Amino acid sequence: MADLTSEFLGIKSPNPFWLASAPPTDKAYNVNRAFEAGWGGAVWKTLGEDPPVVNVNGPRYAVSYGNDRRVIGFNNIELITDRPLSVNLEEMRQIKRDWPDRALVASVMLPMEEAVWARLVPMIEDTGVDAFELNFGCPHGMSERGMGAAVGQVPEYIQMAAEWCKKYASIPVIVKLTPNVTSILPPARAAKAAGADGVSLINTINSIMRVDYDTLSMYPSTDGMGSHGGYCGPGAKPIALHMIAEIARTADTADIPISGIGGITDWRDAVDHLALGAQNVQVCTAAMVYGFKIIDDLTDGLSNFLDEKGMTRVSDLVGKAVPSVTDWQYLNLNYIEKASIDQDLCISCGRCHVVCEDVSHQAITHTVNGKRHFEVIDEECVGCNLCVSICPVDACITMKQLSSGTDPRTGQAIVSEKADWTTHPNNPMRVR
């Protein structure tokens, strides 16, 4: 079986799955249960100055559900730890003593005052933690106090605070990036310029989930009033993957080690993160929805996948998909695929015809010789794969490459050779 042992910034753990800084890592009781279940590491819920913050005493979460009531998005307005710093530090010290083979990282959020960093960084490091993670991402509550996303959205502030932490720490420093920016590259470059050892991303996304349909006030609310929160969970994964890939494929940031966060619910999600450049992954929402035992599915699934691919370790997978990511302008416009319907699998529901007829290219029949029958009209199909995406039967509709001959839509010869656009000299985003 593949070896799941992970090493990130020199920090070893039995597998690449860490719990992200969040409610599941708020105290020793939780983290101890997580490590007993088999998690490879944990990032302690974000520490701040004393006196601790005060959280709302009411609803803190809102959920977006799929039709089967499966959680597809999660929103929270909870702040950083509301327990005294001394209590957190003593529990962190005990956890590291009891679990020396697990990664334990201290997430911190401190004011933009060097004196505070100079005082607290050595104190936190003295617990024996393996690294710091600088929380420059929280989009609610702390940002109004000049921390969290208020720092993460300003590259100059990121660099300044990261330099302070590096100055007073002797262990690795990870900068946690906010997705609430136009481009993730300036914040990543600022972290690198500060000498940060790595980055983690993404933190939560600014969001309001819904309203209360009885009162027509936003939900959740505290005494009738609500505030935007941080969005996470499966719905956030595509945004996370894009930002991870941007850092991993861009020449001047490609060498920054990445810890991937965002929507990891099963082993496939972990494969996505790792293949697009993350060296390990952090999980929060899935643990809050399903409990710590999901680690068994995550590790078993990843191990089996690596075995199937002939890979012996996690590092064999890291970055494998990065060379395939490029800008739209470098895509091969001579490459052609068209949809094909397997008539043996087709249940004649007609969804493919309806969507193609209404919103696409009118390329699927609904009758042949007066009988209900769904078939792709090659001359009209543009290969958009909408029908594949909405078909309820797995593998009933697939995409087939036209490797030679003539495009039935244009009459032009098909050129099947594909240039290596990822290394094209005119591609400014090419991997070096």
Side-chain angles (χ1 to χ4, degrees), residues 6-13 18 102-105 130-131 172 174:
S6 172
E7 184 168 338
F8 181 66
L9 306 181
I11 306 166
K12 294 183 178 180
S13 55
W18 294 1
R102 309 302 170 93
L104 188 65
V105 176
D130 299 296
I174 306 163

Side-chain angles (χ1 to χ4, degrees), residues 304-319:
N304 290 336
F305 177 81
L306 294 175
D307 288 344
E308 290 174 4
K309 294 297 181 183
M311 298 178 178
T312 59
R313 59 185 65 84
V314 175
S315 58
D316 294 342
L317 175 61
V318 172

Side-chain angles (χ1 to χ4, degrees), residues 14-324:
N15 61 65
F17 296 99
W18 294 1
L19 285 169
S21 171
T25 61
D26 183 44
K27 58 179 74 73
Y29 179 85
N30 304 60
V31 175
N32 189 64
R33 284 180 60 86
F35 286 171
E36 287 176 345
W39 288 84
V43 184
W44 203 271
K45 189 174 182 185
T46 304
L47 307 174
E49 280 191 292
D50 280 334
V53 302
V54 178
N55 274 292
V56 297
N57 290 304
R60 303 176 185 181
Y61 307 123
V63 177
S64 176
Y65 296 106
N67 291 335
D68 58 357
R69 200 170 165 79
R70 179 171 298 184
V71 173
I72 58 176
F74 209 80
N75 170 287
N76 84 89
I77 60 168
E78 185 161 312
L79 303 181
I80 64 174
T81 182
D82 53 12
R83 304 190 309 150
L85 180 62
S86 60
V87 172
N88 280 298
L89 296 184
E90 184 53 40
E91 291 187 4
M92 292 164 70
R93 190 187 311 276
Q94 185 61 51
I95 286 290
K96 192 59 189 177
R97 188 181 301 135
D98 292 342
W99 299 92
D101 67 325
R102 309 302 170 93
L104 188 65
V105 176
S107 174
V108 298
M109 184 187 295
L110 302 174
M112 292 299 290
E113 302 172 18
E114 183 177 358
V116 178
W117 292 80
R119 175 169 57 87
L120 294 183
V121 166
M123 185 187 306
I124 297 169
E125 182 177 332
D126 188 61
T127 62
V129 292
D130 299 296
F132 285 98
E133 182 180 81
L134 311 188
N135 185 346
F136 296 152
C138 281
H140 55 277
M142 306 310 296
S143 55
E144 290 91 325
R145 309 174 191 208
M147 295 178 283
V151 176
Q153 292 169 335
V154 184
E156 293 80 5
Y157 291 170
I158 292 176
Q159 182 171 344
M160 185 183 303
E163 286 176 344
W164 289 339
C165 192
K166 286 293 294 181
K167 181 177 180 180
Y168 299 106
S170 62
I171 55 179
V173 173
I174 306 163
V175 172
K176 190 173 186 179
L177 301 178
T178 177
N180 299 300
V181 292
T182 305
S183 170
I184 200 66
L185 295 177
R189 289 172 178 137
K192 181 178 178 180
D197 300 278
V199 295
S200 59
L201 66 155
I202 59 174
N203 211 311
T204 54
I205 306 164
N206 261 333
S207 59
I208 293 177
M209 295 294 274
R210 66 177 180 89
V211 299
D212 184 308
Y213 303 116
D214 293 323
T215 64
L216 292 183
S217 59
M218 72 159 288
Y219 181 87
S221 64
T222 302
D223 194 23
M225 300 294 290
S227 174
H228 69 275
Y231 183 77
C232 55
K237 189 184 80 167
I239 299 169
L241 295 180
H242 161 66
M243 293 186 168
I244 288 169
E246 283 299 286
I247 293 174
R249 77 184 182 101
T250 302
D252 64 343
T253 58
D255 59 345
I256 303 176
I258 299 171
S259 181
I261 311 170
I264 298 165
T265 305
D266 63 24
W267 63 267
R268 296 173 184 83
D269 301 321
V271 169
D272 292 337
H273 278 259
L274 295 167
L276 285 167
Q279 294 183 12
N280 75 351
V281 294
Q282 298 184 32
V283 180
C284 170
T285 304
M288 295 181 71
V289 174
Y290 302 109
F292 289 147
K293 284 294 185 180
I294 64 162
I295 187 61
D296 292 337
D297 293 333
L298 292 170
T299 53
D300 288 349
L302 180 59
S303 179
N304 290 336
F305 177 81
L306 294 175
D307 288 344
E308 290 174 4
K309 294 297 181 183
M311 298 178 178
T312 59
R313 59 185 65 84
V314 175
S315 58
D316 294 342
L317 175 61
V318 172
K320 282 293 186 182
V322 174
S324 68

Side-chain angles (χ1 to χ4, degrees), residues 336-338 378-383 406-412:
I336 295 177
E337 287 186 1
K338 292 184 182 296
D378 280 348
E379 292 78 6
E380 302 298 332
C381 179
V382 300
T406 302
D407 180 355
R409 292 178 295 114
T410 65
Q412 296 178 345

